[in-house]
Amino acid sequence: MSKEGKSAPKRPGEEPEATGIEAKQRRGSPPLCFDTPRSLFQSLIAPMELEQFFQEYWEKKPLHLHRSDPSTASYYQSLFQLSDLKGLCSERLEYARDLNVCRCVHGKKKTLNKEGRVKYNVLNKDFVQKKATIQFHQPQRFKDDLWRIQEMLECFFGSLVGSNVYITPQESQGLPSHYDDVEVFILQLEGQKHWRLYPPTVPLAREYSLEPEERIGSPSHDIILKAGDLLYFPRGTIHQADTPVGVEHSTHLTLSTYQNMCLGDLLLDVFPTVMFDMMKREVSMRRGMPPRLLLSRGDSGDTRRSLSSFLRRAADELDAGQQDLRSNDMKRDFVTNRLPPYNDTDITPSGKIPALEDIVRLRFKDHMVISVEPSQDRADEATVLVVYVLHSLRNLRESHMMGDGVQDESVSQGLRFPLSHLQAIRQLHEAEERLPVAKLELHSDQDKLNLLLSLWTECLLEVC
């Protein structure tokens, strides 16, 4: 090894060399680590350890992390600041769609939106003279660093991650006390914000709701967030926030996730498939209902007992691993609406076309889902299960989390394969790094080549 490649010996009493997040902060680099989705989330909640966060705080109680490191505060401010608004107003922003202007007056939200296009001079006048809060929707559409952060968080959580920026002048409050149906991470970007949190009236709530102050009692947490700080609280936590006296303005970013991602939602998604599979196997589930059951004012005890028996058998099969958890609708919703890979705006097939003697691996694995679903081709034939490999490589960053429903169907991408290809697709997806083509569990070499060529053409596979 050359002299340049050797590490200098440590002197007695010298501090050990800093590594990981600590080293990045000492070098003045961004405080977030983008090596993997896990490292990104770990650096976001540093110095809290990831395992401790999920054991003690996630879905349980709020967490306030105060950061005294100036580089963290500086990086947070670079994500979005008040001065960005003037340039963004040239992006043909519209009221309600791209931003709201509002203020909390006597415990009620007062919306000050105008009609149509946002003009900066009008927006700034409302901010300065009317002390209105500017709520900017989904800034990751315009800010690359937020795109990068949220894309990685979506990989980490396996759930959509949205964001809003709130800019509030001093001695003002934008929204009344309320709770949300999402897990919330607050990043304080500029100034300070005074937060009051209250115990949930609906723990882990599944919908947004206002809660009048006379009903919520005293706050469980009274916090001043400063630039560089992070605040987390679970869905259902009642909260309100204002900019304190003497603080020119506050800018904070809300990262939100896990909307409609509870176990009950999963059960609603997989249950129809479980029942459908049982109906195909068991003639008892295909017997007709008692006559006039739907017209009856009451219910039939025999029918109730029969249904209970079916449910118990379904539960036993799930517990024994005899039923697959095919959450097809949730998978499709996530992969169709999530962010595309960061900074990969022109994704093309990578390297040489795969051959039988090659070793291969999947690309963009965190942007793929595998779904086993009934084929929709022929309604007049028996149901046939097929395998879909769906991905988000060509999703539209511009429409992410904008509430317009799913993205354009022409953008939603995916491949369909016969059920016989499922094991080979799982092999590729579960492989740690690379996999010899010869080891793929398919009946013929031609099937192997067809599978690989389809994935390669879709930019999902490369030759090592």
Side-chain angles (χ1 to χ4, degrees), residues 58-59 138 154 157-164 179-185 204-209 233-236 255-266 329-331 333-334 337 400-405:
W58 176 255
E59 295 190 331
Q138 309 305 334
E154 289 187 334
F157 285 111
S159 171
L160 296 175
V161 176
S163 68
N164 284 307
Y179 60 79
D180 298 300
D181 58 347
V182 286
E183 301 296 306
V184 175
F185 296 86
L204 301 181
R206 295 193 73 249
E207 58 185 5
Y208 167 93
S209 180
F233 49 83
R235 56 193 186 275
L255 296 171
S256 57
T257 189
Y258 257 59
Q259 186 178 49
N260 299 330
M261 287 287 290
C262 69
L263 288 172
D265 294 307
L266 179 62
D329 289 343
M330 292 182 75
K331 285 182 176 180
D333 178 74
F334 173 51
N337 289 287
H400 179 247
M401 297 295 289
M402 285 303 290
D404 300 325

Side-chain angles (χ1 to χ4, degrees), residues 81-146:
Q81 50 194 303
L82 175 61
S83 58
D84 289 333
L85 285 176
K86 188 171 185 179
L88 286 169
C89 283
S90 66
E91 299 285 346
R92 305 174 66 88
L93 304 180
E94 293 187 7
Y95 285 100
R97 185 194 69 183
D98 297 297
L99 60 81
N100 281 327
V101 180
C102 57
R103 185 177 181 188
C104 178
V105 180
H106 303 304
K108 297 186 181 298
K109 177 182 175 181
K110 182 179 181 181
T111 301
L112 304 174
N113 288 349
K114 309 297 188 293
E115 291 291 330
R117 194 78 51 81
V118 177
K119 296 180 179 179
Y120 175 73
N121 60 334
V122 177
L123 182 66
N124 188 57
K125 184 178 179 181
D126 285 339
F127 179 75
V128 173
Q129 297 184 4
K130 298 182 180 179
K131 291 186 174 295
T133 288
I134 300 170
Q135 178 190 27
F136 195 98
H137 303 317
Q138 309 305 334
Q140 73 277 6
R141 296 176 293 143
F142 305 98
K143 305 289 278 186
D144 285 354
D145 280 355
L146 291 179

Side-chain angles (χ1 to χ4, degrees), residues 33 36-45 49-51 53-54 58 148-161 185 257-258 261 334 338 366-367:
C33 178
T36 65
R38 180 185 176 91
S39 70
L40 182 277
F41 184 72
Q42 173 64 85
S43 63
L44 184 70
I45 62 171
E49 289 296 328
L50 187 146
E51 289 77 12
F53 172 76
F54 280 103
W58 176 255
R148 188 183 188 190
I149 291 169
Q150 288 175 238
E151 182 256 328
M152 269 208 164
L153 288 177
E154 289 187 334
C155 291
F156 177 76
F157 285 111
S159 171
L160 296 175
V161 176
F185 296 86
T257 189
Y258 257 59
M261 287 287 290
F334 173 51
R338 64 169 302 188
D366 282 339
H367 283 264

Side-chain angles (χ1 to χ4, degrees), residues 317-432:
E317 289 187 7
L318 284 173
D319 195 36
Q322 298 170 350
Q323 282 274 6
D324 289 332
L325 293 179
R326 301 209 295 269
S327 55
N328 299 331
D329 289 343
M330 292 182 75
K331 285 182 176 180
R332 281 186 174 272
D333 178 74
F334 173 51
V335 78
T336 303
N337 289 287
R338 64 169 302 188
L339 280 164
Y342 170 72
N343 238 7
D344 284 307
T345 54
D346 186 23
I347 299 174
T348 56
S350 175
K352 68 183 288 286
I353 298 175
L356 291 173
E357 64 273 13
D358 287 330
I359 297 175
V360 298
R361 65 183 172 194
L362 291 180
R363 303 171 66 197
F364 305 107
K365 191 183 294 187
D366 282 339
H367 283 264
M368 297 170 52
V369 298
I370 302 166
S371 180
V372 179
E373 306 175 23
S375 171
Q376 304 296 324
D377 282 352
R378 296 289 298 275
D380 58 342
E381 294 181 0
T383 302
V384 176
L385 292 178
V386 294
V387 182
Y388 289 95
V389 176
L390 309 171
H391 66 81
S392 54
L393 302 193
R394 297 179 185 87
N395 282 6
L396 299 178
R397 171 193 180 190
E398 295 77 14
S399 60
H400 179 247
M401 297 295 289
M402 285 303 290
D404 300 325
V406 298
Q407 302 205 39
D408 190 332
E409 287 297 325
S410 64
V411 177
S412 180
Q413 300 294 318
L415 299 167
R416 192 182 80 165
F417 299 98
L419 193 60
S420 58
H421 286 46
L422 177 59
Q423 184 55 36
I425 294 170
R426 284 178 172 169
Q427 279 181 275
L428 289 165
H429 199 260
E430 294 167 6
E432 290 293 331

Side-chain angles (χ1 to χ4, degrees), residues 285-300:
M285 291 189 69
R286 302 198 297 271
R287 293 196 176 100
M289 297 186 298
R292 297 184 60 81
L293 179 67
L294 301 181
L295 298 175
S296 172
R297 294 181 59 184
D299 58 8
S300 164

Side-chain angles (χ1 to χ4, degrees), residues 270-279 314 318 323-325:
V270 303
F271 190 75
T273 300
V274 171
M275 289 292 101
F276 182 77
D277 288 347
M278 288 185 66
M279 287 171 64
L318 284 173
Q323 282 274 6
D324 289 332
L325 293 179

